[in-house]
Amino acid sequence: MASQVDMFDCLNGGERQELGAHMSYALSNIHRALPCPAVSVARRLCFLSDSDGGGVDRLSGLPAALLINIVSRLPIKDAARTAVLSRRWRPVWRSAPLVLCDSHLLRPGQDKIPGYVDRADSDAVAAAVSRILAAHHGPLRSAFLACTYMDRDRPRVARWLQHLAIKGVSELFLINRPWPLHLDKHLPSTFFSMATLTRLYLAFWRFPDTDGLPRGAAFPSLRELGLCSVSIETRDLDFILARSPVLQNLCLEGHLFTKLRLRLVSHSLRCVQIHFSNIESIAVVDAPLLERLILKDMPLAGSCRINVGNAPLLRLFGYINPAKHVLQFGNTNVKAGTLVNAGAMVPAVKILALEVCFGVRKNVKMLPSFLGCFPNVERLHIHRKRIDQPTGRPNLKFWQEAGDVECVKSHIKMLVYHDFRGEKSELAFLKFFVERAQILERLVIVCANGCFNSMAEANSKVKTLFAGKKDTKCCALQVVESALGEGGIPWNYQRGSDFSHDPFAFIVQT
């Protein structure tokens, strides 16, 4: 039977282009989740000439430790080229802790991971990676491998991992090409022996079966883990959390396989981000240091139960969607009209993001109950979700009958409403909010891109919210247009784990 690679070669130009577009889309989501390489091809080692065109080689006179530091900050090709500068430089690159980024080995070298790599280029890059790992006798602090079809030569990948383990790699990005993708074979478990590993990102692999690992298998130094379109079982994820005593950041991207039941039991986790994934349930069992739980575009089908237990530092939470998420405390589900007691509250949350479809009445009815679970929220983001066939649009009377919500009345200082279109159901909610929010300091309305003919038209809609309200001095109003298309909320995992910023706030047109 012809392999998937052979089938790809048989496609005509149009079919290749269409398939390539799908591949590029899948890869773009993964690439967005990846941090940038530790070095850039824009960096160059330069020598300044004097007026005669010559120059004194002062660099070679620097201490060996400083030369090693210089070489370790260069792209791999430039680092190797330093060996021809002089006899003084020859042994430096072989002992320097290098950064190996395989996209720098392409012609021309680039920092950005390409959406498509020709098979010949992939083979050339893979061969170069093998040569570098064999020739460089010193340590590698970072390996960023994303430009080869690794399924074509599993033994070679196993050898790479063995080299990296011996060289004490600190950061490893092992990004397989999704075509062909063979999930019948597990990824080699060699990286469990990498005691120095602090950052690990895997994409398009089947995770090793942890049942067969030795008792001492662990990630003793791992602080950041990203699993992107990785086929993994719930028990394997439990194993990782249990064997990663200093893990702080966990990212799950594009899990499209068997639904996961995520149990967060970790005394080190600070940030969990899940995007575009099939997750059946999330139970925050015991995570005393967890500060951020960020969910985006999940689950892809059905609903996801979310149960927050011991998370006393959980300050930021979102995007919660009443249509997709079921908040659960103990054995009790939060429903419309639920009287929330102290046991069903997450008092530490200060920044909350909700996705709400104001055209679906049963979802909107959940909003007061959801807000009641977070009594101390100070900054609220509401992302309006659009629907083609509305099933009810709550008016102002609906919100007035909903009664007071503690966080709205006494704690929220800033409301950011995204994708505003000026519909009556939106205005009814916002008017209720402005009337009930006693300490609201700032209201930001982000208009859907291209929805209004002018910002003057948008402002005229928004100003009706304050009709009849006597005291508006304490609430600053800002009306802006989104820089993106409707619903196009940008996401970036690095921003999500930046504890100095609110990741739910994004760029708008001024």
Side-chain angles (χ1 to χ4, degrees), residues 95-136:
S95 59
L98 299 181
V99 174
L100 173 56
C101 179
D102 64 355
S103 66
H104 294 170
L105 301 175
L106 295 169
R107 295 183 180 181
Q110 54 186 292
D111 292 332
K112 184 178 179 182
I113 303 174
Y116 172 72
V117 176
D118 183 82
R119 286 178 59 189
D121 290 338
S122 170
D123 291 342
V125 168
V129 169
S130 295
R131 290 195 300 270
I132 291 168
L133 291 176
H136 183 265

Short mmCIF file of all heavy atoms in Angstrom, two decimals, residues 95-136:
data_model
loop_
_atom_site.label_atom_id
_atom_site.label_comp_id
_atom_site.label_asym_id
_atom_site.label_seq_id
_atom_site.Cartn_x
_atom_site.Cartn_y
_atom_site.Cartn_z
N SER A 95 32.90 23.70 22.46
CA SER A 95 32.65 23.62 23.90
C SER A 95 31.56 24.56 24.38
O SER A 95 31.11 24.47 25.52
CB SER A 95 33.94 23.90 24.68
OG SER A 95 34.45 25.19 24.37
N ALA A 96 31.12 25.48 23.52
CA ALA A 96 30.11 26.46 23.93
C ALA A 96 28.73 25.81 24.04
O ALA A 96 28.39 24.93 23.24
CB ALA A 96 30.06 27.61 22.92
N PRO A 97 27.92 26.24 25.01
CA PRO A 97 26.53 25.74 25.11
C PRO A 97 25.66 26.38 24.03
O PRO A 97 25.13 27.46 24.22
CB PRO A 97 26.11 26.17 26.52
CG PRO A 97 26.96 27.36 26.83
CD PRO A 97 28.26 27.16 26.11
N LEU A 98 25.49 25.67 22.92
CA LEU A 98 24.88 26.26 21.74
C LEU A 98 23.35 26.16 21.75
O LEU A 98 22.77 25.40 22.51
CB LEU A 98 25.42 25.57 20.49
CG LEU A 98 26.92 25.67 20.24
CD1 LEU A 98 27.29 24.97 18.94
CD2 LEU A 98 27.38 27.12 20.22
N VAL A 99 22.75 26.93 20.85
CA VAL A 99 21.32 26.86 20.56
C VAL A 99 21.17 26.32 19.15
O VAL A 99 21.66 26.91 18.18
CB VAL A 99 20.66 28.23 20.67
CG1 VAL A 99 19.20 28.16 20.23
CG2 VAL A 99 20.74 28.76 22.10
N LEU A 100 20.50 25.18 19.02
CA LEU A 100 20.30 24.54 17.71
C LEU A 100 18.85 24.75 17.29
O LEU A 100 17.93 24.16 17.84
CB LEU A 100 20.61 23.05 17.80
CG LEU A 100 20.30 22.20 16.55
CD1 LEU A 100 21.01 22.75 15.32
CD2 LEU A 100 20.66 20.75 16.79
N CYS A 101 18.67 25.62 16.30
CA CYS A 101 17.35 25.89 15.74
C CYS A 101 17.38 25.46 14.28
O CYS A 101 18.10 26.07 13.47
CB CYS A 101 17.00 27.37 15.88
SG CYS A 101 15.39 27.82 15.19
N ASP A 102 16.62 24.42 13.92
CA ASP A 102 16.77 23.86 12.57
C ASP A 102 16.24 24.77 11.47
O ASP A 102 16.64 24.63 10.31
CB ASP A 102 16.17 22.46 12.48
CG ASP A 102 14.67 22.42 12.71
OD1 ASP A 102 14.09 23.47 13.03
OD2 ASP A 102 14.08 21.33 12.58
N SER A 103 15.37 25.74 11.78
CA SER A 103 14.93 26.67 10.74
C SER A 103 16.07 27.58 10.30
O SER A 103 16.03 28.13 9.20
CB SER A 103 13.73 27.50 11.23
OG SER A 103 14.10 28.36 12.28
N HIS A 104 17.10 27.71 11.13
CA HIS A 104 18.27 28.49 10.74
C HIS A 104 19.13 27.74 9.73
O HIS A 104 20.01 28.34 9.10
CB HIS A 104 19.12 28.80 11.98
CG HIS A 104 18.45 29.71 12.96
ND1 HIS A 104 18.94 29.95 14.23
CD2 HIS A 104 17.30 30.43 12.87
CE1 HIS A 104 18.13 30.78 14.87
NE2 HIS A 104 17.13 31.08 14.06
N LEU A 105 18.88 26.44 9.56
CA LEU A 105 19.65 25.64 8.63
C LEU A 105 19.04 25.63 7.23
O LEU A 105 19.63 25.09 6.29
CB LEU A 105 19.76 24.20 9.15
CG LEU A 105 20.41 24.04 10.53
CD1 LEU A 105 20.35 22.59 10.99
CD2 LEU A 105 21.84 24.54 10.51
N LEU A 106 17.84 26.18 7.11
CA LEU A 106 17.21 26.29 5.79
C LEU A 106 17.92 27.36 4.97
O LEU A 106 18.70 28.16 5.49
CB LEU A 106 15.73 26.63 5.93
CG LEU A 106 14.84 25.58 6.60
CD1 LEU A 106 13.47 26.18 6.90
CD2 LEU A 106 14.70 24.36 5.70
N ARG A 107 17.62 27.38 3.67
CA ARG A 107 18.16 28.43 2.81
C ARG A 107 17.03 29.28 2.27
O ARG A 107 16.21 28.76 1.48
CB ARG A 107 18.96 27.81 1.65
CG ARG A 107 20.20 27.06 2.11
CD ARG A 107 20.97 26.54 0.91
NE ARG A 107 22.16 25.82 1.32
CZ ARG A 107 23.04 25.28 0.47
NH1 ARG A 107 22.84 25.40 -0.85
NH2 ARG A 107 24.10 24.64 0.90
N PRO A 108 16.94 30.55 2.63
CA PRO A 108 17.79 31.21 3.63
C PRO A 108 17.33 30.86 5.05
O PRO A 108 16.18 30.46 5.26
CB PRO A 108 17.55 32.70 3.33
CG PRO A 108 16.15 32.74 2.81
CD PRO A 108 15.96 31.47 2.04
N GLY A 109 18.20 31.05 6.01
CA GLY A 109 17.84 30.80 7.40
C GLY A 109 16.78 31.78 7.87
O GLY A 109 16.72 32.93 7.42
N GLN A 110 15.90 31.33 8.77
CA GLN A 110 14.83 32.19 9.25
C GLN A 110 14.45 31.78 10.67
O GLN A 110 14.64 30.64 11.08
CB GLN A 110 13.60 32.07 8.34
CG GLN A 110 13.13 30.64 8.14
CD GLN A 110 12.01 30.52 7.12
OE1 GLN A 110 10.90 30.97 7.34
NE2 GLN A 110 12.33 29.91 5.98
N ASP A 111 13.91 32.75 11.41
CA ASP A 111 13.46 32.47 12.77
C ASP A 111 12.07 31.83 12.75
O ASP A 111 11.77 30.96 13.56
CB ASP A 111 13.42 33.75 13.60
CG ASP A 111 14.81 34.30 13.88
OD1 ASP A 111 15.76 33.49 13.93
OD2 ASP A 111 14.95 35.52 14.04
N LYS A 112 11.22 32.28 11.83
CA LYS A 112 9.85 31.79 11.76
C LYS A 112 9.81 30.37 11.23
O LYS A 112 10.50 30.03 10.27
CB LYS A 112 9.01 32.71 10.86
CG LYS A 112 7.54 32.34 10.81
CD LYS A 112 6.77 33.32 9.93
CE LYS A 112 5.31 32.94 9.84
NZ LYS A 112 4.55 33.86 8.95
N ILE A 113 8.99 29.53 11.85
CA ILE A 113 8.84 28.16 11.38
C ILE A 113 8.00 28.17 10.11
O ILE A 113 6.88 28.68 10.11
CB ILE A 113 8.15 27.29 12.44
CG1 ILE A 113 8.94 27.32 13.75
CG2 ILE A 113 8.00 25.85 11.95
CD1 ILE A 113 8.25 26.61 14.88
N PRO A 114 8.51 27.64 9.02
CA PRO A 114 7.73 27.66 7.77
C PRO A 114 6.53 26.72 7.83
O PRO A 114 6.58 25.67 8.47
CB PRO A 114 8.75 27.19 6.72
CG PRO A 114 9.73 26.37 7.49
CD PRO A 114 9.83 27.01 8.85
N GLY A 115 5.46 27.12 7.17
CA GLY A 115 4.27 26.27 7.14
C GLY A 115 4.49 25.00 6.34
O GLY A 115 3.94 23.96 6.67
N TYR A 116 5.30 25.08 5.29
CA TYR A 116 5.57 23.90 4.47
C TYR A 116 7.07 23.82 4.22
O TYR A 116 7.74 24.83 3.96
CB TYR A 116 4.83 23.98 3.14
CG TYR A 116 5.22 22.89 2.17
CD1 TYR A 116 4.82 21.57 2.38
CD2 TYR A 116 6.04 23.17 1.07
CE1 TYR A 116 5.20 20.55 1.51
CE2 TYR A 116 6.41 22.17 0.20
CZ TYR A 116 5.99 20.86 0.42
OH TYR A 116 6.38 19.86 -0.44
N VAL A 117 7.60 22.61 4.30
CA VAL A 117 9.01 22.36 4.01
C VAL A 117 9.08 21.24 2.98
O VAL A 117 8.47 20.18 3.16
CB VAL A 117 9.79 21.95 5.28
CG1 VAL A 117 11.24 21.61 4.93
CG2 VAL A 117 9.73 23.06 6.32
N ASP A 118 9.79 21.48 1.89
CA ASP A 118 9.97 20.47 0.86
C ASP A 118 10.70 19.26 1.45
O ASP A 118 11.52 19.37 2.35
CB ASP A 118 10.79 21.07 -0.29
CG ASP A 118 10.97 20.10 -1.43
OD1 ASP A 118 10.06 19.98 -2.26
OD2 ASP A 118 12.03 19.45 -1.48
N ARG A 119 10.37 18.07 0.94
CA ARG A 119 10.97 16.84 1.47
C ARG A 119 12.49 16.86 1.34
O ARG A 119 13.21 16.40 2.23
CB ARG A 119 10.39 15.63 0.77
CG ARG A 119 8.97 15.29 1.19
CD ARG A 119 8.44 14.10 0.40
NE ARG A 119 9.28 12.92 0.59
CZ ARG A 119 9.15 11.80 -0.12
NH1 ARG A 119 8.22 11.72 -1.06
NH2 ARG A 119 9.93 10.77 0.10
N ALA A 120 13.00 17.38 0.22
CA ALA A 120 14.45 17.44 0.04
C ALA A 120 15.09 18.36 1.07
O ALA A 120 16.15 18.06 1.64
CB ALA A 120 14.78 17.90 -1.38
N ASP A 121 14.45 19.50 1.32
CA ASP A 121 14.96 20.43 2.33
C ASP A 121 14.90 19.81 3.72
O ASP A 121 15.80 19.98 4.54
CB ASP A 121 14.16 21.73 2.31
CG ASP A 121 14.43 22.56 1.06
OD1 ASP A 121 15.50 22.35 0.44
OD2 ASP A 121 13.58 23.39 0.69
N SER A 122 13.80 19.08 3.97
CA SER A 122 13.66 18.40 5.25
C SER A 122 14.79 17.39 5.47
O SER A 122 15.39 17.33 6.55
CB SER A 122 12.30 17.69 5.33
OG SER A 122 12.23 16.84 6.46
N ASP A 123 15.09 16.61 4.44
CA ASP A 123 16.17 15.62 4.55
C ASP A 123 17.51 16.30 4.78
O ASP A 123 18.34 15.82 5.57
CB ASP A 123 16.23 14.77 3.28
CG ASP A 123 15.02 13.84 3.14
OD1 ASP A 123 14.33 13.61 4.16
OD2 ASP A 123 14.76 13.37 2.01
N ALA A 124 17.74 17.42 4.09
CA ALA A 124 19.01 18.13 4.24
C ALA A 124 19.15 18.70 5.65
O ALA A 124 20.23 18.63 6.26
CB ALA A 124 19.10 19.26 3.20
N VAL A 125 18.07 19.24 6.18
CA VAL A 125 18.10 19.79 7.53
C VAL A 125 18.33 18.68 8.55
O VAL A 125 19.14 18.82 9.48
CB VAL A 125 16.78 20.54 7.84
CG1 VAL A 125 16.68 20.85 9.33
CG2 VAL A 125 16.71 21.83 7.04
N ALA A 126 17.65 17.54 8.38
CA ALA A 126 17.81 16.43 9.31
C ALA A 126 19.24 15.92 9.31
O ALA A 126 19.81 15.62 10.37
CB ALA A 126 16.84 15.30 8.95
N ALA A 127 19.85 15.83 8.12
CA ALA A 127 21.23 15.39 8.04
C ALA A 127 22.17 16.37 8.72
O ALA A 127 23.12 15.98 9.41
CB ALA A 127 21.63 15.20 6.57
N ALA A 128 21.89 17.67 8.55
CA ALA A 128 22.72 18.69 9.20
C ALA A 128 22.60 18.63 10.71
O ALA A 128 23.59 18.77 11.43
CB ALA A 128 22.31 20.08 8.69
N VAL A 129 21.37 18.39 11.21
CA VAL A 129 21.18 18.27 12.66
C VAL A 129 21.99 17.10 13.20
O VAL A 129 22.67 17.21 14.24
CB VAL A 129 19.68 18.09 12.99
CG1 VAL A 129 19.49 17.68 14.46
CG2 VAL A 129 18.91 19.37 12.70
N SER A 130 21.97 15.97 12.49
CA SER A 130 22.73 14.80 12.93
C SER A 130 24.23 15.09 12.96
O SER A 130 24.93 14.70 13.91
CB SER A 130 22.45 13.61 12.00
OG SER A 130 21.09 13.20 12.09
N ARG A 131 24.73 15.80 11.95
CA ARG A 131 26.16 16.14 11.91
C ARG A 131 26.55 17.05 13.06
O ARG A 131 27.58 16.87 13.70
CB ARG A 131 26.51 16.79 10.57
CG ARG A 131 26.47 15.84 9.38
CD ARG A 131 27.18 16.46 8.18
NE ARG A 131 26.55 17.72 7.77
CZ ARG A 131 25.56 17.81 6.88
NH1 ARG A 131 25.07 16.69 6.33
NH2 ARG A 131 25.06 18.98 6.56
N ILE A 132 25.70 18.04 13.33
CA ILE A 132 26.00 19.00 14.39
C ILE A 132 26.03 18.32 15.75
O ILE A 132 26.93 18.54 16.57
CB ILE A 132 24.98 20.15 14.37
CG1 ILE A 132 25.17 21.02 13.12
CG2 ILE A 132 25.10 21.01 15.64
CD1 ILE A 132 24.05 21.98 12.87
N LEU A 133 25.04 17.47 16.01
CA LEU A 133 24.99 16.78 17.29
C LEU A 133 26.18 15.86 17.48
O LEU A 133 26.67 15.68 18.61
CB LEU A 133 23.69 15.98 17.41
CG LEU A 133 22.41 16.80 17.52
CD1 LEU A 133 21.18 15.89 17.53
CD2 LEU A 133 22.42 17.67 18.78
N ALA A 134 26.68 15.29 16.38
CA ALA A 134 27.84 14.39 16.48
C ALA A 134 29.14 15.17 16.62
O ALA A 134 30.05 14.76 17.35
CB ALA A 134 27.89 13.49 15.26
N ALA A 135 29.23 16.34 15.94
CA ALA A 135 30.49 17.09 15.92
C ALA A 135 30.68 17.99 17.13
O ALA A 135 31.81 18.25 17.54
CB ALA A 135 30.56 17.93 14.63
N HIS A 136 29.58 18.47 17.68
CA HIS A 136 29.69 19.40 18.80
C HIS A 136 29.79 18.61 20.11
O HIS A 136 28.84 17.95 20.52
CB HIS A 136 28.48 20.33 18.84
CG HIS A 136 28.54 21.36 19.93
ND1 HIS A 136 27.95 21.18 21.15
CD2 HIS A 136 29.17 22.56 19.97
CE1 HIS A 136 28.20 22.23 21.91
NE2 HIS A 136 28.93 23.09 21.21
#
